[in-house]
Amino acid sequence: MSLPAELLYGRSHEWIRVEGDAVVIGITNYAQDQLGEVVYVELPEVGTGVATGEELGTLESVKAVSEFLAPVGGEVIGVNERLEDEPNLVNEDPYGAGWLVKISGSAEGEDFLDAEAYQQFLEQESG
Amino acid sequence: MRHRAIRPEPLFFELNPRRVRRQGYMLPTLDVPPVEPARVLPANLVRDPDPHFPDIGEMEVVQHFHRLSQLNYAVDEGLYPLGSCTMKYNPRINEQTARLPGFASIHPLQPVAQIQGALRLIWELEEALKTITGMPGVTLQPAAGAHGELTGILMIRKALSTRGDPREVVLVPDSAHGTNPATASFAGYRAVEIASADDGTIDLGALEKMMDDTVAAIMLTVPNTLGVFEHRIVEISKIVHDRGGFIYLDGANLNAFAGRALPGLMGADAMHINLHKTFSTPHGGGGPGAGPVTVSEALLPHLPVPRVVRTGDDYELLWEDPESIGPMRGFYGNFLILVRALTYIRSLGAEGLRTMSDVAVLYANLVRHRLSGAYHLKYDAPSMHEVVFDDSRQARHEVHNTDIAKRLLDYGFHPPTMSFPLIVHGALMIEPAESVAPEEVEAFCDAMLAIAKEAEENPELVKTAPHDTPVGRVDEVRAARDLKVRWMPEDDGA
C-alpha cells in the first residue's frame, strides 16, 4: 500500500492529518500489519487532555495489547466510535475509516516525517 | 504422534443430545408435598429458563472428563517450553510433604502453640530465600509474582513517604513483563518506558537522562525477557541509588542464576521470587502460586504483617508494626505452596540448586545452538535460561510464528511463548527449563527444524496446521471479536 502524501508520520508509526486547528490521528499500514488483526480498540474520552508522547489508548490484537501514543498534545475532541463494533477497520482502512482520535492541537514544532521520509525510515527499520 | 484421544469431545451440556432420561443417582421418593420454587423464593433466586443440566449417567461423566484430560498437555507429558513462564516438573515428594496432616489439616486461627511446626517451616523458608538472594528480609505473603511486585513497590512508596520524599515515576524497560507497568500504575505511579540498547539490555545513557528526583524506582527483570543478563546491573543500581531511587528486581527468572549470583550484591532493594517457577511448585491451572519478596536493609521496617518471629526455639506471629505496609493477604499466604518450595530447596541443597540453574542455562543454549541456523535471532547477546527467536526467515514464505506454534501440536509439543517480548516482532520465546531429560530437548529441536524445512518446502502444510488434533485451526479473531462466554440452551440445536 502506498503512503498517502497528504499525511505526516511519526517514528512510532502514527499518522496525522491536519484539519484547521485540529489533527486527526491513526496508525500506519505498517503498524496495523505488525499488530495483526485488531480485536478491540480502547479510546480516550472526549475532553481528555494529553501531552505529546502520552498514551492515548490501546489496540488489542490476537497477539498482544499495544498502546498508541499522542503524536501531538492537546484536547481530545473526537474519537472514532465505529471502532467499538468494527475494530477491523484499523486493519482494513488504516488511513481512512480506521482513524482513531481527533485532537485540538497543532503539529507545529513537532518532529514529523513526510511520506517519502517515513518510507525510508521503514526501510531502515526492517533492514 | 503421541497416543491421545482424537475424537472431538462435545461440551458437557451437549451430552445426551436426544434427551433420553438417564441419571447417575436415584434420589429417595419425595415424602413431603411438592412446592413450586417460585411460590416460596424471591423471583431473583428462581432460574428461568431452566438451566438445562444434561441427564447423564455416572460413567458418561467419568468418560467425558477422562477424555478431556487426555486432550490436555502437561509438564508430566513432555517439554513445555513456555518462555518467561518456567514450566518445570513438580517432584512427587512435594505433594507428599504438602499432604502431611500437620501442614494440611491446620487452621490459621489455631493458637500459635499448636502450629509451631508450620511457623518453623515459614521461618526456615524465609532463611533459605534470604541466603539464596543475599538479601536481609523477606515476606512470604504475596500469592503470585504480580502480587509480589505490588508488595515491593508499596514498600518503596512507604519508604519514600517516610523520608518525606514522595515521587511520581517508575521506570520500566521496553522489554519488561506486562505486569511491571501495571504494578506501577496500580501503586499510584506513572510508568515511563525506558528503551533497550542494541544488545537488549538497558541503555545507560537513557537511564542517566531519565533518572531524576521524580523517579521512585526502576523495575528490572534479571535476566531480562530476552534471556539476556543485565550485565551493567551494578552501574544501573549506582545511578538509581545515587539519585535517591530504588531498584526493584523482577525475579521471575531467578532460576537462571540461583546459587551463582546474589541479587543483594547487584543492589536490589526488593525482588519477588516466583516459587511456582524457580522452586518447582505447580504452575498453571490458575494457581495457587506464591510470590515472596526479598528486601534490602532500607525496606526491612516496611515488610507486611503478620511476620513470624523466632525467640529461642519458639515461634510467634507479630501482628502490629506501625512502620509496616500492613497485611497483603489473609494470614501467611498460600501456605501449602511454601511447604512444597522448602521441600524442593531441601531436596536439592545448595549444590543441587546451582546445578538446577546451570542445566536451565545449558538447555537454553542447546536450543539456541541447534536452531540458530534455521530461525533468526534478533538479539545475539549470550543467552541465560531462555532464547528468543523470531519468524522473519519463515515469514518470507508467509509462515508466521502462530503457524509454527500450531504445527508443533502435530509434533506432540506444547508451543513456546509467542509474540513476547514486544520488542521482537514475531517472537518465539523458548525456555526448556532444567527438569526434562536432554533427549526431550533434542526431540523438540528436531521438531522445530522439521517445521523450518516444511515452511520452505511446503508452507501450506504449516499454515493450515494443526492437522492431527481433534479440533483444527481455530478462528482466534472471531473468538475475540464475537465473544461467547456462556453456553445457552438455544445454542445446542435441540
Side-chain angles (χ1 to χ4, degrees), chain A residues 33-35 37-39 62-67 87-88 91-92, chain B residues 190 193 391 400-402 418-419 422 425-426 476-478 480-481:
Chain A
D33 186 55
Q34 295 277 301
L35 277 174
E37 300 252 18
V38 175
V39 295
V62 286
K63 292 180 188 170
V65 179
S66 312
E67 51 196 39
N88 47 312
N91 299 109
E92 286 159 17
Chain B
R190 193 153 54 82
E193 197 172 277
D391 62 7
H400 298 283
N401 58 353
T402 310
M418 292 195 313
S419 305
L422 300 176
H425 184 66
E476 291 176 31
V477 174
R478 198 175 139 223
R481 283 181 185 163

Side-chain angles (χ1 to χ4, degrees), chain A:
Chain A
M1 192 186 283
S2 63
L3 294 166
E6 69 277 17
L7 305 180
L8 292 172
Y9 300 89
R11 287 181 175 78
S12 44
H13 309 290
E14 295 91 8
W15 58 258
I16 64 161
R17 185 173 65 235
V18 178
E19 289 185 355
D21 293 338
V23 291
V24 178
I25 296 162
I27 64 166
T28 64
N29 186 52
Y30 172 83
Q32 71 78 19
D33 186 55
Q34 295 277 301
L35 277 174
E37 300 252 18
V38 175
V39 295
Y40 181 70
V41 182
E42 189 185 359
L43 295 167
E45 290 200 17
V46 172
T48 312
V50 287
T52 307
E54 262 183 18
E55 181 183 328
L56 257 184
T58 54
L59 293 161
E60 183 176 341
S61 75
V62 286
K63 292 180 188 170
V65 179
S66 312
E67 51 196 39
F68 61 93
L69 309 177
V72 299
E75 187 189 323
V76 176
I77 54 171
V79 297
N80 186 355
E81 281 166 7
R82 278 183 73 191
L83 298 179
E84 196 170 318
D85 294 322
E86 300 171 86
N88 47 312
L89 291 174
V90 175
N91 299 109
E92 286 159 17
D93 190 7
Y95 301 116
W99 67 277
L100 298 169
V101 178
K102 193 169 179 177
I103 285 183
S104 76
S106 159
E108 291 285 317
E110 304 285 356
D111 181 22
F112 286 105
L113 307 170
D114 63 16
E116 198 180 323
Y118 179 64
Q119 183 65 45
Q120 279 173 9
F121 174 71
L122 284 182
E123 280 157 19
Q124 283 166 12
E125 282 268 286
S126 54

Side-chain angles (χ1 to χ4, degrees), chain B residues 434-494:
Chain B
E434 83 293 343
S435 33
V436 294
E439 290 78 7
E440 183 73 10
V441 183
E442 296 273 11
F444 171 77
C445 293
D446 291 342
M448 287 292 287
L449 291 173
I451 294 168
K453 200 158 175 242
E454 288 170 354
E456 284 180 20
E457 293 170 1
N458 186 3
E460 211 47 38
L461 179 69
V462 185
K463 284 162 66 179
T464 51
H467 304 284
D468 298 332
T469 51
V471 175
R473 182 74 65 108
V474 292
D475 185 344
E476 291 176 31
V477 174
R478 198 175 139 223
R481 283 181 185 163
D482 183 14
L483 196 63
K484 282 187 186 167
V485 292
R486 185 183 156 201
W487 181 89
M488 297 292 280
E490 58 267 28
D491 293 342
D492 74 348

